[in-house]
Amino acid sequence: MTSILADSSKSMRTDRNTYVGNRFVHVKNPHLDSMDEDILYHLDLGTKTHNLPAMFGDVKFVCVGGSPNRMKAFALFIHKELDLEGNEEAIQDICAGSDRYCMFKTGAVLSISHGMGIPSISIMLHELIKLLYHAKCCDVTIIRIGTSGGIGIEPGSVVITDTAVDSFFKPQFEQIILDTVVTRSTELDKELAQELFNCSKEIPGFPTLIGHTMCTYDFYEGQGRLDGALCSFSNEKKLDYLQRAYEAGIRNIEMESTVFAAMCGLCGLRAAVVCVTLLNRLECDQINLPHEVLLEYQQRPQHLISIFIKKHLGQHRLK
């Protein structure tokens, strides 16, 4: 097997500059042009069965997160925050015909679940990006909101990712395609991260910071946990690894950010990752906070994103 650097950060910056001001979502697959119909199987949508430009052409903000219930709650929350017409009962799951993901649209905001881990979010992103492409969407900002484990920071802290890194602390995403290891850049939009951080200054009550996010393929051994069904290392090795991660600028760990950053960057999407931390991994492995505390923590990224969206829509007022 050979390893190649498929998409350099330089080429990604060139693509982004090409689309600034009128940045259409684009795909990098020449085979799509020859297809009579594109079936977005896991979203229960298609180019022949649905008028995608009419349904989604006005989308400017896409928020994705692991849990279907959380993304429905976000759709209801942002509907209220934007003071949109219609009652909450009108916000229905667009992907109800599929049991893989859920999707809700309210105004210019799309809220979608992506499941857990790189394979699940990757499948969703392929079909979401094609959906936005077929719908002729432009100037779209996509933000992953979720939960994570913190490193050296207090539980409840919100981390805005400046760089997504792998388990070797490298800013890259590796994927085996046929018999080749393809390496893609995980560069995220630094200006967007700073803009989100500036929005956080208007929210009292919880700390927000910009830092690296490590993406792993596993919740247990892959993240250095001692409490899984398998464990092949000592507590000392675990703490040494996590301390080295902290020294490398990593402030939280989750399981989706590298492929998210890689795919969004290649397809002209302005992207960010905003995750709340549920524990400090230097102190413990298990999440044991009360349900009501966890629920409040999970709402913190939603509040931050709502301020960002309202500012862009000219609806935000300083309190």
Side-chain angles (χ1 to χ4, degrees):
M1 296 174 65
T2 59
S3 177
I4 60 173
L5 183 62
D7 309 290
S8 69
S9 58
K10 180 179 179 181
S11 66
M12 291 174 64
R13 286 193 296 270
T14 301
D15 282 343
R16 284 176 175 155
N17 291 337
T18 301
Y19 287 86
V20 166
N22 194 21
R23 180 167 33 198
F24 286 92
V25 178
H26 57 283
V27 294
K28 293 200 169 183
N29 180 0
H31 304 290
L32 291 180
D33 293 336
S34 61
M35 293 171 55
D36 183 54
E37 178 182 11
D38 191 2
I39 300 172
L40 310 179
Y41 172 72
H42 300 91
L43 301 182
D44 193 36
L45 294 167
T47 53
K48 279 193 171 181
T49 55
H50 298 80
N51 186 338
L52 300 181
M55 293 174 66
F56 302 102
D58 62 337
V59 168
K60 297 297 180 184
F61 307 95
V62 181
C63 293
V64 305
S67 164
N69 288 337
R70 192 183 307 149
M71 298 319 294
K72 181 177 181 180
F74 175 74
L76 297 174
F77 170 70
I78 201 67
H79 181 86
K80 183 178 180 180
E81 287 290 298
L82 296 179
D83 195 25
L84 296 173
E85 295 181 358
N87 55 41
E88 295 181 349
E89 287 72 23
I91 303 175
Q92 298 294 321
D93 182 7
I94 299 171
C95 303
S98 167
D99 60 357
R100 296 297 181 185
Y101 308 105
C102 69
M103 178 191 298
F104 306 91
K105 184 177 184 296
T106 178
V109 183
L110 208 56
S111 176
I112 312 172
S113 69
H114 59 59
M116 188 180 296
I118 286 174
S120 184
I121 192 174
S122 172
I123 295 167
M124 186 280 290
L125 284 172
H126 274 281
E127 297 185 16
L128 167 65
I129 291 169
K130 290 197 296 176
L131 165 64
L132 298 173
Y133 169 74
H134 291 310
K136 298 179 173 59
C137 295
C138 68
D139 300 324
V140 175
T141 298
I142 180 168
I143 303 173
R144 171 172 137 65
I145 56 176
T147 59
S148 62
I151 302 181
I153 58 178
E154 289 297 313
S157 302
V158 173
V159 179
I160 301 169
T161 306
D162 59 357
T163 303
V165 301
D166 63 15
S167 296
F168 298 99
F169 314 158
K170 294 181 179 180
Q172 63 183 31
F173 171 64
E174 288 188 344
Q175 182 172 4
I176 299 173
I177 301 177
L178 304 182
D179 60 351
T180 300
V181 177
V182 176
T183 304
R184 290 171 171 161
S185 170
T186 54
E187 178 186 358
L188 284 163
D189 192 306
K190 300 295 192 294
E191 291 183 3
L192 175 57
Q194 186 61 50
E195 186 177 351
L196 289 165
F197 181 72
N198 292 340
C199 289
S200 74
K201 297 176 182 178
E202 300 181 25
I203 310 174
F206 61 84
T208 304
L209 61 141
I210 295 177
H212 297 353
T213 295
M214 180 165 64
C215 179
T216 68
Y217 286 89
D218 169 54
F219 184 80
Y220 285 97
E221 284 188 297
Q223 295 188 10
R225 279 186 163 84
L226 304 174
D227 59 340
L230 302 172
C231 187
S232 56
F233 47 85
S234 66
N235 184 54
E236 290 73 23
K237 285 194 173 183
K238 162 202 162 180
L239 291 176
D240 173 72
Y241 177 73
L242 294 179
Q243 186 61 44
R244 285 189 286 114
Y246 181 85
E247 292 169 359
I250 297 168
R251 294 296 177 265
N252 64 333
I253 313 174
E254 45 88 272
M255 296 185 290
E256 293 87 17
S257 58
T258 51
V259 68
F260 174 82
M263 292 184 66
C264 291
L266 285 169
C267 295
L269 285 162
R270 195 176 183 222
V273 178
V274 181
C275 289
V276 68
T277 59
L278 303 182
L279 74 169
N280 181 357
R281 289 296 319 289
L282 292 174
E283 297 179 352
C284 59
D285 290 338
Q286 296 201 331
I287 301 168
N288 55 11
L289 295 171
H291 174 73
E292 59 272 16
V293 174
L294 289 174
L295 182 61
E296 193 275 322
Y297 282 0
Q298 292 171 16
Q299 292 170 345
R300 291 181 176 185
Q302 298 184 21
H303 285 284
L304 173 55
I305 301 311
S306 73
I307 289 178
F308 170 79
I309 291 175
K310 286 190 291 184
K311 279 192 170 186
H312 275 263
L313 295 177
Q315 296 181 225
H316 182 62
R317 299 292 182 270
L318 292 175
K319 296 182 179 179

